[in-house]
Amino acid sequence: MKMKQVLTAIFLLAFVVTVHAQNTIPAGYAKATIVLDNGNSLQGYVKDNIKKASAVVFIDEAGNNKKQYEGSDIKTMNVDGLHFICIKGDFFKVLCAGKLNYLQKASNSSAKPTYNGTEAIFTNGTDGKIGDYFIYSNQQLKLLNRKNLEAFINTDLAGCAEAMQQAKASNGDVARLGEAVETFNSFAVK
């Protein structure tokens, strides 16, 4: 009889440990949702290799099926409240979303080879470097910098005087344009 109780206790302990293991996030990973380029959505955990390799390592919610996804495989990704969009193999953090998307470049895939059989092919990726700011609208990606800031204000923000004023008040600091883009997007919705 005691043997039966011991076996039952061991079984229950093993069950509790298994359930607990399935509900914990693996070390070095974060909870994420990935939408692949083909439209399929995946829920699970990712290990961030964005800056270093323009990729993420994905493990499904059950803790199985570990796979690396390149930026060229992904359309969008949400990780711990951060939203990313992938364009030409590069990851961009979405700072503001709407008619104009204000993005910050998080990876650089231009030096990363892809293979056609044994032949290495290098893609151009996107302009700019990691940390640069962009506007993405109508499938067009525009690098923002001090040189083209005035053109951005007069064309992309045209029609919204408050957004134009906020952008001009940034005094050439491209990192501060998020507020102007949010104002423009709220105006564009009306």
Side-chain angles (χ1 to χ4, degrees), residues 31-149:
K31 185 103 172 107
T33 302
I34 296 175
V35 177
L36 298 175
D37 214 28
N38 64 11
N40 291 341
S41 182
L42 306 173
Q43 302 261 339
Y45 308 101
V46 295
K47 187 175 203 175
D48 182 352
N49 286 335
I50 294 172
K51 189 173 184 178
K52 188 171 111 180
S54 296
V56 292
V57 177
F58 176 80
I59 298 176
D60 65 14
E61 289 181 312
N64 305 322
N65 302 328
K66 186 176 183 180
K67 183 175 180 182
Q68 179 165 307
Y69 287 101
E70 308 291 327
S72 57
D73 301 325
I74 298 172
K75 188 182 291 185
T76 63
M77 179 175 72
N78 288 309
V79 181
D80 281 343
L82 297 174
H83 184 68
F84 292 88
I85 185 170
C86 294
I87 303 167
K88 294 184 180 178
D90 282 326
F91 285 83
F92 291 86
K93 186 184 333 178
V94 179
L95 303 174
C96 293
K99 184 173 181 180
L100 294 178
N101 294 293
Y102 181 55
L103 312 174
Q104 186 175 26
K105 191 169 183 174
S107 72
N108 186 3
S109 66
S110 63
K112 189 173 187 177
T114 55
Y115 293 92
N116 182 10
T118 58
E119 183 181 345
I121 300 170
F122 291 90
T123 59
N124 292 335
T126 56
D127 291 337
K129 60 187 182 311
I130 294 173
D132 283 347
Y133 294 91
F134 292 79
I135 288 295
Y136 185 62
S137 178
N138 299 321
Q139 305 297 317
Q140 296 292 316
L141 185 67
K142 293 182 199 174
L143 174 63
L144 292 176
N145 53 38
R146 286 180 169 257
K147 294 177 190 172
N148 66 7
L149 185 58

